[in-house]
Amino acid sequence: MSIAQPGFDFAAAGHRLAAPLLDTLLPLGSTFSLVSLTCAVLIAAGHVVSSRRARGRRTSARLLVRALFPRRVWLTASSRLDLVFFVFNVWCAGLLLGAALLSGQAITKALSGWLAASLGEGPLAATPWAIVAVVGTLAGFLAYELGYWVDHWLSHKVKFLWAFHKVHHTAEVLTPLTVYRVHPIESLKFANIAALATGGTGGVLAWAFGSAWHAPLIFGQNAIFLVFAMSVIHLQHSHAWMTFRPFGKWLLSPAHHQIHHSADPAHFGKNLGSCLAVWDRLFGTLHVPDQRPASLVFGAVATDPHSLTGGFATPFVEAFKGEPLPRPVPLPAE
């Protein structure tokens, strides 16, 4: 008499393996959704066509494809390591975020409860729904932007943190995949700082508005952030020189972020925000790009920057050795 052995469920295993990738590409609220990537490609294509038309040149389909997906960018060691980081972070992101010590929702609940116990009921409990929605959306977005700026500033000013953040800056070409070229320690740090910024802001608002408080989301995202995710964010890691003039002192364009990645010491520590230039203007780290495309070289100085060892292990060694920070050169007054 034989005992039937349960077979391996390849379908279930395949689904579990594919789930992180599908959760990254398919949801409309994902920052790396296929919809947002398609929007970025269309915007970049429109930019190429309009720029050439302004110079009296026509753009064929073949030329457009070559402009959007140049081999000199995509077929490089830098891009290959970006792909490795993409695979690693897509399948490990849940573990990293789960390891974060702080939760934005927990901070909101704890802070609003403490304020209510200390100060009593908030003064704005009767505020109409629409006003609460607008204030909550705007404040939440500004809080995220501040958390992003603070995290980024610390990464460029603290030697220990720069050792891990430098991995992102070793990219010698920029593609949308470069956003995933992030060391796990860097991801963990950002998750906690973002939780402090958004959770702290949410806690104050939850106390102030009381029972009227709510933070409406679209596809699980802040509505303002979703607009940027569908239009600008992917192009920040690209070679499309878009400056957003005359709004360059308020919005961070792809050209702003390309300057941030520049190997020119005059650009070190500039344009640290995500979407808005507000905090860079306030704290003196804004550098507005010229309308004319700049000839920039990307890539921080590093040992073996495009290898697994250089991307994952070397930062620990440099962090504890106290590697020097890059030395900026002062820019003329903006």
Side-chain angles (χ1 to χ4, degrees):
M1 179 178 179
S2 62
I3 299 176
Q5 297 295 326
F8 183 77
D9 192 338
F10 287 97
H15 176 74
R16 287 195 297 270
L17 186 63
L21 180 62
L22 297 178
D23 290 342
T24 298
L25 297 177
L26 297 184
L28 293 178
S30 169
T31 56
F32 209 74
S33 71
L34 290 174
V35 173
S36 63
L37 287 167
T38 300
C39 290
V41 171
L42 293 175
I43 292 170
H47 172 70
V48 171
V49 172
S50 62
S51 297
R52 289 179 59 82
R53 183 176 295 171
R55 300 194 301 270
R57 299 178 181 178
R58 300 181 64 182
T59 306
S60 66
R62 183 178 179 181
L63 189 150
L64 183 60
V65 171
R66 288 168 54 192
L68 294 176
F69 305 102
R71 297 180 65 178
R72 63 180 177 81
V73 170
W74 289 91
L75 301 182
T76 62
S78 181
S79 287
R80 288 195 293 272
L81 187 64
D82 286 354
L83 181 59
V84 171
F85 269 100
F86 171 76
V87 172
F88 175 82
N89 282 307
V90 163
W91 269 269
C92 296
L95 296 175
L96 291 172
L97 294 178
L101 300 177
L102 302 175
S103 160
Q105 292 181 340
I107 293 172
T108 293
K109 183 177 180 180
L111 180 57
S112 61
W114 178 80
L115 289 172
S118 302
L119 304 176
E121 183 179 353
L124 304 173
T127 305
W129 182 93
I131 295 178
V132 179
V134 171
V135 171
T137 299
L138 180 59
F141 180 65
L142 289 174
Y144 169 81
E145 286 285 310
L146 178 59
Y148 187 102
W149 187 94
V150 169
D151 170 82
H152 212 169
W153 183 84
L154 289 172
S155 295
H156 281 259
K157 293 296 183 181
V158 179
K159 289 182 180 180
F160 183 87
L161 299 180
W162 167 250
F164 298 103
H165 182 64
K166 186 172 73 170
V167 171
H168 184 65
H169 280 269
T170 58
E172 294 174 351
V173 295
L174 302 180
T175 76
L177 286 174
T178 308
V179 74
Y180 282 92
R181 191 188 184 104
V182 179
H183 195 279
I185 297 298
E186 175 87 351
S187 298
L188 184 59
K189 171 177 64 68
F190 173 73
N192 284 292
I193 292 178
L196 277 173
T198 58
T201 301
V204 173
L205 294 177
W207 165 76
F209 289 111
S211 58
W213 165 245
H214 61 279
L217 301 175
I218 299 178
F219 303 122
Q221 290 283 6
N222 178 286
I224 303 175
F225 179 81
L226 189 62
V227 170
F228 281 98
M230 290 290 181
S231 58
V232 176
I233 288 180
H234 294 309
L235 296 173
Q236 290 180 336
H237 291 103
S238 77
H239 290 247
W241 189 261
M242 304 169 66
T243 63
F244 292 172
R245 285 184 176 266
F247 305 107
K249 290 188 176 182
W250 300 101
L251 301 176
L252 294 177
S253 68
H256 282 81
H257 200 70
Q258 290 163 32
I259 283 175
H260 174 73
H261 273 267
S262 169
D264 186 339
H267 297 148
F268 291 167
K270 296 295 182 181
N271 301 340
L272 299 172
S274 173
C275 304
L276 300 181
V278 173
W279 303 116
D280 280 305
R281 287 190 68 184
L282 183 62
F283 297 119
T285 55
L286 179 65
H287 175 59
V288 180
D290 293 329
Q291 186 71 30
R292 186 175 181 179
S295 297
L296 301 177
V297 174
F298 303 126
V301 176
T303 302
D304 203 10
H306 306 312
S307 70
L308 293 178
T309 300
F312 288 94
T314 302
F316 286 104
V317 176
E318 293 184 346
F320 289 99
K321 282 178 59 179
E323 291 290 313
L325 293 165
R327 300 184 64 180
V329 173
L331 283 165
E334 297 286 346

